[in-house]
Amino acid sequence: MKTLMIQGTTSDAGKSTLVAALCRVFANQGIKVAPFKPQNMALNSAVTNDGGEIGRAQALQAIAAKVEPETDFNPILLKPNSDTGAQVIIHGKAISNMEAGKYHDYKKVAMDAVITSHERLAKRFDLLLVEGAGSPAEINLRENDIANMGYAEKVDCPVIIIADIDKGGVFAHLVGTLALLSESEQARVKGFVINRFRGDISLLQGGLDWLEQYTGKPVLGVLPYLHDLTLDAEDAVAINNNVTHATINIAILLVPHISNHTDFDALRLHPNINVNYIRHTQVIPDVDLVILPGSKNVLGDLNFLINEGWDNQIKRHLRYGGKVLGICGGMQMLGNIIYDPEGVESSLKSVNGLALCDFETTLTSQKVLSKVTATLKLNNRQTLCSGYEIHAGVSKGNALKTPLITFSQHPNGFKTDGFISDDNAIAGTYLHGLFDEPNATMEILKWVKPDLNIDPISIDTHREQQLARLATMCETHLDIAQITSIYKGHNND
């Protein structure tokens, strides 16, 4: 197996997108390619068929590579649950919560997990396209590094560095990053990619010539700024939603530790649906539906929600005939109380819920990870749907006697999930990905507005269109032949 690593001068330089694009380019050539990210820090994750958890970006890259997502594609996943700590997930399974300092010392052990995954993939794939994390020039993180050059040196692979010209200072970013690397690390950098360029390329040519002469490294291409590129976000919440003629209005509460907000991409991208993320200090406006999303620190985010005054605003919304939907952690908040006796997500032992429905939740160290097919029961109809679960909570109570979801088959033996309130105004579910299914989306929207008549978006179809667009862009603007010679010519295993 050959390995090629994409590193960036900054976070959000375009590493994830470039790896996804190259996965599709090489997969289209018939090459058996797999994505890889040694260490990922993200609250958006995906469940694999083998019952593990990986970063959302690696699941997207697997789709681009035309392979099923698996835990070896992202052996180390860190899910922040505070400003200084995170849940550490190795080979798809959570092992513990660690503060940053403790994890820094743990990296030597984590590197073993990374290399184990690398070696397993080497037996099955021809090419591994690797995504770095942040920047390789972060001096304070270089000791025991497993995310960037530490990994590249360990497996002896070539590196391409990408920089975002739209941020400004692109030549300083590239030259500065290269200068802060060791001599051996500089030698394995085989070229640069400049991302998100807009304007007349001829005006950039003088800078490109200077960069190649000054560094001795080739510029492998300049990628244009792709307007309206929408792919599964790994970190930042995509809040852009410009709708001129909305037929339904939805508010999503942007809590500090929101997780799996890709649940709402199919809503946000629809030209007739106005999705409004409600942020700190903002008031919930007059909308049809309020959604409480998933959270990696449910108790802390519940306190945040109450401190914002959103609890009373939700109750007012319900009094005026609005609907409320809770997903995963958001569902847990709708109950009477949430217990965390083992400190799974925070030091808080319990927090009173919104008490809008009669049930309670206890967080346990045993996380439920599953991909399921199910039946959604709404509007006196049963609709086939599918999705995935990522939660540590066990909920019990009278409200759950009227479930929202019935499983056709569940790996943990569960029969039902969630609830619909007696007055038909509040619903909750642990199931992520509901809105990815057009038929399920339509049923939920008709629950909110029975007379609604719109065609929902298929997020799978949309994703494929975006990946094809990315691949075409790379084939047009990158020197794919030279990139191929880089990974084939370097002496790596």
Side-chain angles (χ1 to χ4, degrees):
M1 183 186 70
K2 298 294 185 180
T3 304
L4 175 64
M5 189 171 198
I6 307 298
Q7 298 181 9
T9 56
T10 61
S11 294
D12 197 36
K15 297 183 293 291
S16 298
T17 303
L18 181 56
V19 169
L22 291 176
C23 278
R24 179 53 59 93
V25 168
F26 290 123
N28 285 344
Q29 293 179 5
I31 297 171
K32 194 173 183 182
V33 58
F36 190 69
K37 185 159 186 171
Q39 174 186 288
N40 197 349
M41 178 177 284
L43 286 177
N44 275 357
S45 57
V47 176
T48 60
N49 288 340
D50 54 354
E53 188 177 1
I54 62 174
R56 169 67 56 173
Q58 280 61 66
L60 169 69
Q61 291 159 358
I63 293 170
K66 304 179 182 180
V67 296
E68 285 292 328
E70 55 184 271
T71 52
D72 277 334
F73 293 166
N74 178 206
I76 309 293
L77 175 61
L78 307 177
K79 301 187 79 171
N81 47 28
S82 71
D83 289 344
T84 59
Q87 184 181 62
V88 179
I89 297 166
I90 295 185
H91 291 149
K93 303 297 182 183
I95 61 164
S96 69
N97 291 326
M98 292 188 191
E99 291 296 307
K102 182 180 178 182
Y103 178 72
H104 185 71
D105 295 333
Y106 185 79
K107 284 183 179 178
K108 292 180 181 178
V109 177
M111 177 62 96
D112 291 338
V114 169
I115 298 305
T116 296
S117 289
H118 176 97
E119 291 175 346
R120 283 198 290 244
L121 294 172
K123 297 175 182 177
R124 298 169 40 228
F125 291 93
D126 301 322
L127 172 62
L128 200 62
L129 287 173
V130 186
E131 178 189 341
S135 162
E138 293 170 354
I139 303 302
N140 56 311
L141 299 177
R142 287 176 62 80
E143 185 180 359
N144 299 327
D145 169 59
I146 65 175
N148 290 299
M149 284 299 180
Y151 165 83
E153 294 267 81
K154 183 77 172 178
V155 303
D156 187 24
C157 72
V159 172
I160 293 172
I161 297 181
I162 185 171
D164 180 3
I165 195 171
D166 197 54
K167 288 184 170 69
V170 70
F171 297 112
H173 283 169
L174 289 168
V175 172
T177 297
L178 193 65
L180 290 173
L181 302 179
S182 70
E183 186 175 339
S184 63
E185 292 167 350
Q186 290 178 2
R188 70 179 59 259
V189 175
K190 303 302 180 183
F192 304 123
V193 171
I194 292 177
N195 193 25
R196 299 191 182 112
F197 176 77
R198 34 184 155 187
D200 185 348
I201 190 69
S202 65
L203 299 178
L204 186 64
Q205 191 59 51
L208 302 180
D209 294 340
W210 174 88
L211 180 64
E212 291 187 336
Q213 183 178 9
Y214 186 84
T215 64
K217 312 287 185 183
V219 175
L220 300 168
V222 177
L223 299 176
Y225 191 104
L226 283 187
H227 295 276
D228 302 321
L229 177 67
T230 48
L231 287 167
D232 309 52
E234 184 173 53
D235 296 306
V237 179
I239 60 175
N240 295 328
N241 179 231
N242 300 315
V243 176
T244 54
H245 300 290
T247 55
I248 185 169
N249 293 284
I250 299 173
I252 301 173
L253 305 186
L254 190 54
V255 292
H257 301 92
I258 185 172
S259 63
N260 290 80
H261 52 75
T262 48
D263 280 343
F264 314 116
D265 283 354
L267 301 177
R268 181 179 59 83
L269 295 171
H270 200 288
N272 300 119
I273 300 176
N274 180 39
V275 174
N276 191 356
Y277 279 97
I278 311 304
R279 286 165 280 178
H280 173 53
T281 73
Q282 292 183 331
V283 174
I284 300 175
D286 182 15
V287 294
D288 303 297
L289 172 66
V290 173
I291 297 179
L292 282 66
S295 164
K296 191 62 192 71
N297 185 337
V298 182
L299 282 76
D301 283 353
L302 177 56
N303 276 339
F304 174 87
L305 182 156
I306 293 169
N307 290 336
E308 291 291 311
W310 291 343
D311 54 339
N312 291 326
Q313 294 169 34
I314 291 171
K315 293 172 183 176
R316 180 182 183 277
H317 167 78
L318 288 167
R319 288 198 301 272
Y320 280 83
K323 304 283 191 179
V324 172
L325 173 65
I327 296 178
C328 201
M331 182 189 82
Q332 295 169 352
M333 296 179 190
L334 296 172
N336 297 321
I337 191 168
I338 304 172
Y339 298 101
D340 190 4
E342 300 177 48
V344 172
E345 292 188 352
S346 74
S347 60
L348 300 171
K349 296 300 181 183
S350 67
V351 172
N352 289 329
L354 301 181
L356 294 174
C357 298
D358 184 19
F359 71 97
E360 61 184 39
T361 300
T362 300
L363 303 186
T364 67
S365 56
Q366 187 65 37
K367 186 184 289 191
V368 176
L369 296 165
S370 64
K371 294 176 73 173
V372 296
T373 56
T375 301
L376 174 71
K377 295 185 176 182
L378 267 180
N379 310 319
N380 295 316
R381 289 187 291 271
Q382 297 189 15
T383 306
L384 293 178
C385 63
S386 62
Y388 60 98
E389 294 175 284
I390 304 177
H391 63 91
V394 177
S395 298
K396 296 180 179 179
N398 289 327
L400 306 181
K401 293 179 181 179
T402 310
L404 182 69
I405 301 288
T406 300
F407 295 116
S408 53
Q409 188 174 6
H410 194 286
N412 295 77
F414 301 148
K415 303 297 184 183
T416 61
D417 168 75
F419 67 90
I420 182 76
S421 64
D422 292 339
D423 62 1
N424 202 41
I426 308 171
T429 177
Y430 274 115
L431 205 60
H432 293 283
L434 264 181
F435 294 111
D436 293 355
E437 294 277 345
N439 290 336
T441 298
M442 201 64 247
E443 286 303 319
I444 294 171
L445 295 181
K446 279 187 174 293
W447 168 64
V448 178
K449 293 189 73 171
D451 59 345
L452 191 68
N453 185 23
I454 62 174
D455 293 323
I457 285 177
S458 168
I459 203 68
D460 293 337
T461 300
H462 175 83
R463 185 185 292 117
E464 278 300 315
Q465 292 169 344
Q466 298 296 298
L467 288 171
R469 182 185 178 199
L470 267 182
T472 298
M473 177 191 70
C474 282
E475 289 166 340
T476 304
H477 297 279
L478 293 184
D479 190 338
I480 298 298
Q482 190 170 6
I483 292 173
T484 301
S485 67
I486 287 171
Y487 81 74
K488 285 187 174 180
H490 192 85
N491 182 28
N492 62 27
D493 297 322

